[in-house]
């Protein structure tokens, strides 16, 4: 076997967060002359366009969009495909509680954008291709171990090759192999929910409104989409349900499913008239006790996965990537070696409290809306209506969600 190839920084996983991190690091002046490799198991291909939408979408908050724009990733093509939402409506299906958010109330052009994962990965890849110091290696990481002496890590890839690096950043998602092989302690629990995701179209336009209902079985989101030609009848649905109900709905034929969705979505798009293939994703909360150890850092879903009900997962991941790139760049400029624990710990100190706070808030929401007793429902509905009338507090909440 050939001697292992040596790289300066190895990013495990080139999903949204790994690819964004590669861009942020590659653009940092301290990394100009270094060799950054992104090892990704699945080559990227974008088979979507027109009225064919990627079933996986994310709600991108303004802070994340601004960071991507600063890096040159928020291209005109991406802006044309991304669907802004100007209003957001959150309703309790079991009562009259509702909260409305409107971008004009906080003097912003929009509240965020719904973007297909592949529509965002495309410009991230294009940006990386234009950089001399970053390269993609397409193969699955099969094993990770520390070399004798402990200063570097050795990664074995499925194609039989090996790589060493003094710094490995795990961006390999919720089931991170790097996290597991490096013995990071993990707190994980099942939400008791699975999410059905699909693209549907209704009789009516969505009018750039993102909608969410808290139903008896879990939250349902309608996330607005648009074609480049401006057809606004499509929404991506994320319907989080207890497992039993999710399986029942997955087993329904399309007509029956659309009928139930029309009702759960309170006819907001008229009747649902078409649906793509449905996917069922189990939802699990995970949080690594530590994000770092010498020579290794976790980012994005490898460090934390949260319930999709507030659409924050990838936004937290982009913030991880941005802060880590900043701290690593600062450490190099101060003459510290790559992978030095002090720089990694600064990253952890800046990101862990924010991620934990968001996870706690999502857990609280989920429990509040899981609660069945009538008195809790009544208070919940009153609370939502009260918050809806409290302009300043409501506006602070939405500005926080937008990362402003
Ligand atoms: C139903 C649902 C809806 C969501 N909606 C939103 C939303 O509206 N807004 C939001 O902010 N977030 C949302 N999220 C969360 C968001 O999708 C994730 O936080 C985000 O995709 C995480 O990105 P990542 O790059 O960290 O991980 P991933 O997207 O999981 O990427 C990991 C990458 O690593 C690669 N990989 C894995 N193992 C290996 C290996 N051994 N070797 C090489 N490569 C490997 C994978 O192929 C993949 O490309 C949602 C999640 C779900 C489940």
């Amino acid at each position: 076997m050939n001697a292992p190839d040596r790289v300066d920084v190895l990013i495990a996983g080139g999903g949204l967060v790994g690819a964004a991190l590669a861009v942020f690091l590659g653009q940092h002046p301290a990394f100009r002359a270094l060799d950054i490799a992104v090892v990704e198991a699945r080559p990227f291909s974008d088979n979507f366009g027109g009225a064919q939408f990627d079933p996986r979408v994310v709600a991108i908050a303004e802070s994340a969009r601004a960071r991507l724009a600063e890096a040159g990733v928020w291209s005109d093509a991406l802006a044309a495909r991304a669907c802004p939402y100007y209003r957001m409506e959150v309703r309790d299906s079991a009562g009259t509680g509702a909260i409305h958010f409107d971008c004009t109330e906080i003097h912003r052009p929009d509240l965020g954008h719904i973007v297909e994962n592949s529509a965002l990965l495309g410009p991230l890849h294009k940006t990386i291709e234009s950089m001399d110091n970053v390269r993609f290696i397409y193969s699955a990481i099969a094993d990770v171990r520390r070399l004798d002496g402990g200063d570097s890590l050795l990664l074995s890839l499925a194609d039989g090759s090996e790589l060493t690096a003094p710094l490995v950043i795990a961006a390999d998602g919720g089931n991170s192999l790097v996290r597991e092989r490096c013995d990071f302690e993990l707190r994980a629990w099942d939400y008791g929910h699975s999410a059905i995701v699909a693209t549907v179209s209704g009789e009516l336009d969505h009018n750039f409104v993102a909608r969410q209902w808290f139903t008896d079985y879990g939250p349902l989101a309608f996330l607005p989409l648009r074609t480049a030609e401006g057809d606004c009848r499509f929404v991506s649905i994320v319907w989080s349900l207890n497992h039993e109900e999710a399986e029942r709905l997955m087993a329904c034929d399309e007509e029956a499913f659309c009928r139930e969705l029309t009702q759960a979505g309170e006819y907001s798009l008229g009747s649902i008239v078409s649906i793509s293939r449905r996917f069922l994703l189990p939802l699990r909360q995970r949080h690594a006790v530590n994000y770092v150890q010498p020579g290794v850092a976790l980012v994005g879903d490898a460090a934390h996965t949260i319930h999709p009900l507030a659409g924050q997962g990838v936004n937290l991941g982009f913030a991880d990537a941005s802060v880590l790139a900043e701290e690593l760049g600062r450490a190099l400029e101060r003459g510290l070696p790559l992978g030095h624990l002090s720089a990694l710990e600064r990253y952890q100190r800046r990101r862990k409290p924010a991620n934990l706070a968001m996870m706690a808030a999502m857990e609280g929401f989920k429990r509040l809306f899981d609660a069945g007793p009538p008195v809790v429902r009544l208070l919940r509905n009153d609370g939502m209506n009260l918050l809806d009338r409290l302009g300043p507090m409501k506006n602070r909440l939405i500005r926080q969600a937008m990362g402003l």
Side-chain angles (χ1 to χ4, degrees), residues 13 16-17 40-42 56 58-59 141 171-172 301 311-315:
L16 290 174
V17 175
E40 168 55 50
R42 287 177 301 175
R56 290 300 309 273
V58 283
I141 298 163
D172 49 347
D301 275 21
Q312 287 292 336
V314 85
N315 294 293

Side-chain angles (χ1 to χ4, degrees), residues 257-312:
F257 185 88
C258 289
R259 213 170 31 241
E260 294 215 27
L261 187 62
T262 299
Q263 279 169 11
E266 298 182 342
Y267 291 85
S268 52
L269 303 175
S271 292
I272 302 297
V273 292
S274 78
I275 182 160
S276 68
R277 192 175 148 202
R278 284 163 271 171
F279 295 86
L280 186 64
L281 309 171
L283 299 178
R284 231 174 130 60
Q285 168 143 303
R286 302 182 185 88
H287 193 233
V289 174
N290 283 305
Y291 294 1
V292 300
Q293 52 178 253
V296 190
L298 311 178
V299 289
D301 275 21
H304 43 75
T305 53
I306 68 170
H307 200 288
L309 73 87
Q312 287 292 336

Side-chain angles (χ1 to χ4, degrees), residues 37-351:
V38 184
V39 182
E40 168 55 50
R42 287 177 301 175
F44 171 67
S45 65
D46 183 0
N47 304 317
F48 305 101
Q52 295 297 318
F53 292 94
D54 186 343
R56 290 300 309 273
V57 308
V58 283
I60 298 292
E62 176 52 23
S63 54
R65 194 208 62 78
R67 182 66 182 92
L68 293 169
E70 186 192 320
V73 174
W74 196 263
S75 60
D76 289 347
L78 174 55
R81 184 82 176 166
C83 186
Y85 51 100
Y86 306 128
R87 283 185 294 134
M88 197 156 81
E89 295 178 3
V90 183
R91 292 178 187 280
D92 187 340
S93 293
T96 55
I99 308 178
H100 306 82
F101 300 97
D102 192 318
C103 64
T104 57
E105 287 174 14
I106 53 164
H107 314 292
R108 304 289 310 187
D110 54 62
L111 293 176
H113 289 80
I114 306 299
V115 186
E116 296 152 272
N117 286 20
S118 55
L120 190 46
L121 267 173
L124 281 167
H125 274 252
K126 217 167 170 181
T127 310
I128 290 170
E129 277 160 24
S130 70
M131 302 166 94
D132 294 334
N133 52 351
V134 186
R135 59 190 160 117
F136 261 97
I137 296 171
Y138 286 107
S139 183
I141 298 163
D143 197 15
V144 185
R145 65 190 164 86
R146 239 172 233 287
L147 287 176
D148 295 341
D151 284 347
S152 338
L153 290 108
L154 175 73
L155 284 91
S156 311
L157 307 191
D159 63 10
S161 62
E162 290 184 324
L163 290 164
T164 65
L167 175 59
V168 173
I169 303 169
D172 49 347
N175 293 315
S176 170
L177 179 101
V178 175
R179 184 186 66 214
E180 188 237 309
R181 293 295 153 94
C182 293
D183 291 326
F184 278 90
E185 196 184 332
L186 186 71
R187 303 246 156 84
W189 60 96
D190 203 336
Y191 279 120
H193 274 174
S194 297
I196 300 178
V197 297
T199 308
V200 305
S201 69
E203 294 170 309
L204 307 173
D205 281 7
H206 50 60
N207 281 326
F208 301 96
V209 182
R211 298 181 167 91
Q212 176 135 292
W213 294 266
F214 285 92
T215 75
D216 281 347
Y217 301 107
L220 164 66
F222 276 13
L223 306 172
L225 301 170
R226 67 170 171 195
T227 65
E229 294 71 39
D231 189 345
C232 291
R233 287 169 304 135
F234 296 91
V235 299
S236 172
I237 62 157
V238 181
W239 201 350
S240 311
L241 299 143
N242 62 48
H243 302 308
E244 215 174 87
E245 188 60 10
E247 267 162 35
R248 184 188 69 76
L249 281 167
M250 285 298 285
C252 285
D253 64 27
E254 285 188 3
E255 208 183 313
F257 185 88
C258 289
R259 213 170 31 241
E260 294 215 27
L261 187 62
T262 299
Q263 279 169 11
E266 298 182 342
Y267 291 85
S268 52
L269 303 175
S271 292
I272 302 297
V273 292
S274 78
I275 182 160
S276 68
R277 192 175 148 202
R278 284 163 271 171
F279 295 86
L280 186 64
L281 309 171
L283 299 178
R284 231 174 130 60
Q285 168 143 303
R286 302 182 185 88
H287 193 233
V289 174
N290 283 305
Y291 294 1
V292 300
Q293 52 178 253
V296 190
L298 311 178
V299 289
D301 275 21
H304 43 75
T305 53
I306 68 170
H307 200 288
L309 73 87
Q312 287 292 336
V314 85
N315 294 293
L316 299 181
F318 286 149
D320 291 349
S322 183
V323 168
L324 182 58
E326 198 182 304
E327 290 300 341
L328 290 173
R330 192 204 306 256
L332 275 185
E333 283 162 353
R334 282 171 45 217
L336 289 173
L338 274 167
H340 196 276
L341 193 57
S342 68
L344 300 177
E345 281 177 342
R346 280 181 64 90
Y347 152 69
Q348 169 165 294
R349 275 199 300 278
R350 286 178 62 186
R351 288 304 305 150

